[in-house]
Amino acid sequence: MRVVELAGIGPGPFACMLLADLGADVVRVDRPGGPGLGIDPAYDVTNRNKRSVVVDLKAPDGPARVLDLAARADVLVEGYRPGVAERLGVGPGACHARNPALVYGRMTGWGQDGPLADRAGHDVAYIALTGTLGMIGRPGEPPAVPANLLGDYAGGSLYLVVGVLAALHHARATGTGQVVDAAIVDGTAHLSAMIHGMLAAGGWQDRRGANLLDGGCPYYGTYATADGGYMAVGALEPRFYEEFLRLLGLDGLTGARTDVTRWDELRARVAARFASRTRDEWTAVFAGSDACVAPVLSLREAPHHPHLAARSTFTCQGGITQPAPAPRFSATPTAVRTGPALPGDGAAAVARDWGIPGLVTDGPVTDGALPDDLVADGD
């Protein structure tokens, strides 16, 4: 599968990294001067397993060079605000005129239509409007920001990939491509489907820290340890809860599991016990049990956990420790084949492999800046 990625930031590059991890030939079309994020391209692992060409879309021949790529591709992904790709001459109409079977993936925060469609934004604003940000955090405190994992990558990148693969299946069956409108607000809202069902059934309160899965339940949450670390507890089912109490050394609390009036008492006693030992000591206590308790590890600690190390959940490529491709396949294993693609370093090979000699030119080079209304959506 051949994928053209029009360079952006956030969920678009991550989605294309996932496609590249799965074996797609992803060609990233970088701007002269780069994306301006301030990160050394050699460390941007979302560009691993890709190749890069540099095209100035403001140059007279820029759009034609992208359309040459689109004509030979199965998928194109862009993350501009609505209408920008059309004004640049590389919108769905122009691309489908060259390649009717092309799957055209559009990654934005607000989507291609609606009152906010042409507004700038970032992950935190998108998830705020969907109700999901308001679910996260302790009662009486501001909502906790879950980095950009919930919106950009879960509600954005993963939904774009699902949509692209479904549309690709349709295109291969019918010969007809289509546009995939992947909006972070749509995907993030979709992630909360189970919660909305529980809300309608009266099994979820529409406030933070008051429910089974949001930290309101004393046997589903996190607790501080004596050394400033934390333990995560998820002892939901009765037998796991009993094992949790036994290993924690608490008695007389079996009935507190379903008695909400005793949850404050239960939380206080659990917190006191965890505060009496270090994180590593508690990790040893719960090791090998079904109490559903785990230490809260940092990003640097995680690759060294025995389970993750045994599964090679993380890998090291070019001196950079990073998550290995996921998921796993029995017949077609994935791998980190190459490090981050540096801007333009794959142009000659792409021109050869894709049969586009004109891709490599000595045309004018600018600083790559676009007017404000043409800048990618941020997310």
Side-chain angles (χ1 to χ4, degrees), residues 135 191-201 203-205 213:
M135 295 167 47
L191 289 168
S192 65
M194 182 190 75
I195 304 300
H196 276 277
M198 296 174 69
L199 184 67
W204 190 275
Q205 299 183 58
L213 302 175

Side-chain angles (χ1 to χ4, degrees), residues 61-230:
D61 65 341
R65 293 169 70 191
V66 170
L67 292 177
D68 283 345
L69 287 166
R72 293 159 174 80
D74 301 290
V75 175
L76 183 144
V77 170
E78 58 95 354
Y80 301 130
R81 297 193 207 185
V84 170
E86 286 84 348
R87 293 199 292 276
L88 291 172
V90 294
C95 288
H96 283 141
R98 294 288 302 276
N99 182 358
L102 182 73
V103 172
Y104 195 103
R106 315 197 83 164
M107 181 76 261
T108 61
W110 304 118
Q112 296 298 309
D113 54 52
L116 296 176
D118 63 347
R119 300 268 61 85
H122 281 290
D123 175 288
V124 68
Y126 306 142
I127 66 175
L129 289 194
T130 65
T132 52
L133 177 60
M135 295 167 47
I136 305 171
R138 299 179 60 83
E141 298 180 5
V145 178
N148 67 332
L149 302 178
L150 174 58
D152 275 0
Y153 296 145
S157 303
L158 299 186
Y159 278 85
L160 175 61
V161 169
V162 169
V164 161
L165 294 179
L168 182 65
H169 181 74
H170 173 265
R172 288 181 171 175
T174 65
T176 303
Q178 60 182 302
V179 175
V180 177
D181 175 5
I184 293 172
V185 290
D186 295 346
T188 306
H190 193 260
L191 289 168
S192 65
M194 182 190 75
I195 304 300
H196 276 277
M198 296 174 69
L199 184 67
W204 190 275
Q205 299 183 58
D206 196 11
R207 56 192 178 94
R208 286 191 298 285
N211 299 284
L212 187 66
L213 302 175
D214 67 354
C217 172
Y219 46 91
Y220 195 89
T222 57
Y223 290 91
T225 57
D227 59 344
Y230 294 89

Side-chain angles (χ1 to χ4, degrees), residues 1-371:
M1 183 173 76
R2 287 178 170 177
V3 178
V4 176
E5 173 194 347
L6 301 187
I9 61 174
F14 185 85
C16 290
M17 181 203 75
L18 177 51
L19 293 171
D21 284 351
L22 298 179
D25 180 6
V26 177
V27 172
R28 179 177 168 91
V29 179
D30 281 300
R31 306 171 192 165
L37 279 181
I39 182 175
D40 185 339
Y43 291 92
D44 187 353
V45 297
T46 64
N47 285 330
R48 71 188 186 190
N49 289 337
K50 302 177 183 178
R51 299 187 287 183
S52 169
V53 300
V54 173
V55 175
D56 184 355
L57 280 170
K58 295 187 296 181
D61 65 341
R65 293 169 70 191
V66 170
L67 292 177
D68 283 345
L69 287 166
R72 293 159 174 80
D74 301 290
V75 175
L76 183 144
V77 170
E78 58 95 354
Y80 301 130
R81 297 193 207 185
V84 170
E86 286 84 348
R87 293 199 292 276
L88 291 172
V90 294
C95 288
H96 283 141
R98 294 288 302 276
N99 182 358
L102 182 73
V103 172
Y104 195 103
R106 315 197 83 164
M107 181 76 261
T108 61
W110 304 118
Q112 296 298 309
D113 54 52
L116 296 176
D118 63 347
R119 300 268 61 85
H122 281 290
D123 175 288
V124 68
Y126 306 142
I127 66 175
L129 289 194
T130 65
T132 52
L133 177 60
M135 295 167 47
I136 305 171
R138 299 179 60 83
E141 298 180 5
V145 178
N148 67 332
L149 302 178
L150 174 58
D152 275 0
Y153 296 145
S157 303
L158 299 186
Y159 278 85
L160 175 61
V161 169
V162 169
V164 161
L165 294 179
L168 182 65
H169 181 74
H170 173 265
R172 288 181 171 175
T174 65
T176 303
Q178 60 182 302
V179 175
V180 177
D181 175 5
I184 293 172
V185 290
D186 295 346
T188 306
H190 193 260
L191 289 168
S192 65
M194 182 190 75
I195 304 300
H196 276 277
M198 296 174 69
L199 184 67
W204 190 275
Q205 299 183 58
D206 196 11
R207 56 192 178 94
R208 286 191 298 285
N211 299 284
L212 187 66
L213 302 175
D214 67 354
C217 172
Y219 46 91
Y220 195 89
T222 57
Y223 290 91
T225 57
D227 59 344
Y230 294 89
M231 298 295 290
V233 177
L236 290 176
E237 291 82 358
R239 65 188 182 94
F240 302 151
Y241 175 77
E242 290 296 330
E243 180 79 346
F244 167 63
L245 293 180
R246 182 182 69 80
L247 292 173
L248 202 59
L250 294 176
D251 53 24
L253 291 171
T254 297
R257 177 180 170 274
T258 55
D259 186 351
V260 178
T261 65
R262 297 186 64 190
W263 275 12
D264 287 343
E265 173 199 358
L266 175 58
R267 189 187 310 278
R269 292 184 63 183
V270 169
R273 286 294 293 149
F274 273 122
S276 68
R277 298 186 187 180
T278 67
R279 188 191 70 178
D280 288 348
E281 288 173 332
W282 283 120
T283 299
V285 168
F286 288 99
S289 77
D290 276 343
C292 302
V293 177
V296 178
L297 303 182
S298 71
L299 290 173
R300 294 191 185 277
E301 290 176 313
H304 303 290
H305 187 275
H307 181 77
L308 304 185
R311 285 183 57 81
S312 297
T313 299
F314 291 85
T315 187
C316 185
Q317 204 282 342
I320 304 174
T321 298
Q322 57 196 276
R328 303 183 184 200
F329 300 83
S330 62
T332 53
T334 57
V336 179
R337 303 180 301 279
T338 63
L342 301 181
D345 68 353
V350 172
R352 179 194 66 233
D353 297 344
W354 286 40
I356 313 175
L359 188 62
V360 181
T361 69
D362 296 320
V365 176
T366 71
D367 63 3
L370 294 173

